[in-house]
Amino acid sequence: GAGVSQSPSNKVTEKGKDVELRCDPISGHTALYWYRQSLGQGLEFLIYFQGNSAPDKSGLPSDRFSAERTGGSVSTLTIQRTQQEDSAVYLCASSFGQGAYNEQFFGPGTRLTVL
Amino acid sequence: DQQVKQNSPSLSVQEGRISILNCDYTNSMFDYFLWYKKYPAEGPTFLISISSIKDKNEDGRFTVFLNKSAKHLSLHIVPSQPGDSAVYFCAASAMRGKLIFGQGTELSVKP
């Protein structure tokens, strides 16, 4: 079956431009997570959606970052006015339910480079 | 504040020998711990987990040990195989909440 897919796989942008990253979770998964991995760092939690509940945005590093999840499925992470420190691999994961006990399935990630 | 730490960025092991990957945590509220494996250009995949009520969990060649008093967990791979070469992340959660990941350890298993 289809896993989590992300697009684009690579994105190069200029400082100050806006970017949108897309995540298609596994069908039927109610929970969706965004993480980022900067060079030499671990996976940093950004935001989490669970069903129709309000998202947990506690990991978003600044108000330039936002995400939405339409129809409980596809999610878009938007970074406005990109900065060089935003360069990282952005990973999306989905799970059947919420919380750590439900295995998260990860997509391959989007590598963002801000010049 | 790094709540989950993997202090060894890399580890090299000979095929057939034991690989031991270590992870330390600071939050005593963590009650569930996981290991994920990541190959280049792929997302992490779940490997093995352990609840804080246990001190050991085994799955084939993979065993996770938890030492709550030391706030330390380790992943043992025996015997190590070249296909095990990957980045390994430990992660922890408190009360079924979101996962906090470590920085990862890159394992290289030499034939």
Side-chain angles (χ1 to χ4, degrees), chain B residues 65-79:
Chain B
F65 294 92
L66 176 63
N67 182 334
K68 290 185 289 295
S69 61
K71 294 191 178 66
H72 177 84
L73 71 155
S74 60
L75 174 68
H76 292 210
I77 307 173
V78 182

Side-chain angles (χ1 to χ4, degrees), chain A residues 19-56:
Chain A
V19 295
E20 284 189 353
L21 312 179
R22 177 186 169 106
C23 172
D24 285 87
I26 292 172
S27 178
H29 279 191
T30 58
L32 187 148
Y33 306 78
W34 282 99
Y35 297 87
R36 74 175 175 182
Q37 185 182 12
S38 304
L39 191 63
Q41 303 296 312
L43 297 171
E44 177 189 3
F45 166 79
L46 297 178
I47 188 169
Y48 157 59
F49 296 89
Q50 169 58 39
N52 295 320
S53 303
D56 177 349

